Amino acid sequence: MNFLKSVLFVSLLISCSSSLFAQVEIKNPQWHFVDRAIIPAPTDKMPEYAKLLYANSVNMKDLEKAFTAYYDERGWKHVKEDLEHDPFAKFHHLWLEGAVHYVNDNGVVRVMNANEIQKIKARNESFVVKKAQPGSRGANSSWSFIGPRRTVWEEEDIASQPPAPWQVNVYSIAVAPTNPSILFCGSETGELYKTTDKGVNWNPQLDYNWGGAILAIAISPDNADVVYVSASNSIVKTTDGGVTWNIVYDEAALSCNAIAISPTDPNTVVIAAGTGLIKTTDGGANWATIINDNFMYDVQFRPGDGTTIYALGKGNNSSTYSFFKSTDSGTNFSLSMTGWPNL
């Protein structure tokens, strides 16, 4: 009989716990500074710090303490990985970005009604107008979300590929040296965008199938219509500002991480890729490998100098990097430094 009572008591506790947690899910706080689409449904397995975000008020010190305790135990090396794959980590990150504008003197952020929100917005706008001078960063500039807003999980992660509204990353961006109103940006989801009004409006470049994450973009130093883009295993080029695109280099497992155009000769282009450092001197018609069998992370020309090139690659093992330098436009490279730690 006592055993039966114990079983019933445990069952009752489980039932009550589930019921209480279900109430939390129903009563999700309406944070006005967070898009509801990115707020995941709470679960009993979510981190302790994330649970604090489902209350109607959050003490920032308590949140920081819980977050620190979680990663002290889990390991801080997992922070970046969690931002990519854990919806609660992403929710926490975006919540902090918005909450910082609504912290009271006691370090508390709470759900507000519409009148309270309007008063704070009016106060902030008044502060910006009074403090910022014409031409300063504060007076004539503002930031707003322009997209893309939603994407899906990669197929190898989740076969059904459901929407992942918190997982849209811009991997590359470039500003035209001859016209700062023109920018290109490339996303993790393989979308290339162009703006001609300093980011007020962005237009997707839809006439070409980019085929993979866009890791690098470079715009010619003397012609904003000439652009090189790294997409999948190809280097793609436009000479008409993005109206048409053509593959100028293609190699299996290319994985181009950076593109650098000579500041003195726009036909000289160097790319840092998984297969090495590769160079063209005729605008992409012909290419030659100048550092072979080395995974290259980055490449840059010295500003105003077309003869000096710096490149960063993987070292002899997984825990070191190699820094290369050329003073003859890439004909020869010397190993400038070795053994950089893998941070």
Side-chain angles (χ1 to χ4, degrees), residues 246-264:
N246 296 290
I247 296 175
V248 292
Y249 187 75
D250 191 54
E251 181 181 357
L254 179 66
S255 184
C256 174
N257 299 303
I259 304 172
I261 304 176
S262 168
T264 58

Side-chain angles (χ1 to χ4, degrees), residues 1-15:
M1 186 64 179
N2 290 334
F3 174 75
L4 180 59
K5 286 182 179 180
S6 298
V7 172
L8 290 174
F9 180 69
V10 172
S11 298
L12 180 61
L13 284 177
I14 294 174
S15 176

Side-chain angles (χ1 to χ4, degrees), residues 6-261:
S6 298
V7 172
L8 290 174
F9 180 69
V10 172
S11 298
L12 180 61
L13 284 177
I14 294 174
S15 176
C16 289
S17 299
S18 300
S19 176
L20 288 172
F21 201 81
Q23 291 178 14
V24 174
E25 185 173 355
I26 292 172
K27 297 181 179 180
N28 280 352
Q30 303 302 315
W31 298 110
H32 62 280
F33 49 81
V34 178
D35 187 341
R36 295 183 187 180
I38 64 95
I39 301 179
T43 71
D44 56 353
K45 294 183 179 180
M46 65 184 178
E48 290 298 320
Y49 74 82
K51 294 179 182 179
L52 299 177
L53 303 179
Y54 290 85
N56 287 320
S57 66
V58 179
N59 186 299
M60 296 291 276
K61 289 184 178 179
D62 292 343
L63 180 63
E64 181 182 5
K65 186 183 297 184
F67 183 82
T68 300
Y70 178 77
Y71 280 104
D72 279 345
E73 181 178 351
R74 173 167 167 73
W76 287 92
K77 65 181 181 180
H78 295 291
V79 172
K80 183 177 180 181
E81 174 189 347
D82 288 350
L83 278 174
E84 294 284 340
H85 299 289
D86 182 357
F88 296 107
K90 192 64 176 180
F91 173 32
H92 169 262
H93 177 73
L94 296 175
W95 186 92
L96 283 177
E97 288 184 343
V100 69
H101 303 291
Y102 298 93
V103 182
N104 65 23
D105 293 338
N106 297 318
V108 174
V109 182
R110 61 181 179 83
V111 173
M112 300 178 180
N113 60 41
N115 289 333
E116 291 175 313
I117 295 169
Q118 288 303 321
K119 287 181 180 179
I120 290 178
K121 286 185 175 180
R123 182 190 67 191
N124 291 342
E125 290 172 0
S126 174
F127 178 80
V128 170
V129 171
K130 290 179 181 178
K131 295 295 182 180
Q133 299 299 319
S136 70
R137 293 183 181 183
N140 297 324
S141 65
S142 61
W143 289 87
S144 59
F145 182 79
I146 55 174
R149 182 178 295 274
R150 301 177 71 90
T151 185
V152 296
W153 289 109
E154 294 182 2
E155 188 172 0
E156 60 265 29
D157 292 329
I158 300 178
S160 60
Q161 293 185 281
W166 53 84
Q167 171 87 16
V168 179
N169 302 317
V170 170
Y171 272 14
S172 52
I173 191 165
V175 182
T178 57
N179 186 348
S181 295
I182 298 176
L183 296 86
F184 284 82
C185 75
S187 76
E188 175 188 17
T189 51
E191 295 165 300
L192 182 70
Y193 293 85
K194 179 183 180 181
T195 178
T196 57
D197 51 18
K198 298 182 180 179
V200 176
N201 297 284
W202 292 84
N203 297 308
Q205 307 294 291
L206 299 175
D207 294 335
Y208 182 84
N209 180 12
W210 300 97
I214 297 174
L215 302 179
I217 304 170
I219 305 175
S220 176
D222 68 347
N223 187 347
D225 286 338
V226 178
V227 184
Y228 295 84
V229 175
S230 162
S232 188
N233 292 322
S234 303
I235 301 298
V236 187
K237 178 184 179 182
T238 181
T239 57
D240 52 21
V243 178
T244 57
W245 297 87
N246 296 290
I247 296 175
V248 292
Y249 187 75
D250 191 54
E251 181 181 357
L254 179 66
S255 184
C256 174
N257 299 303
I259 304 172
I261 304 176

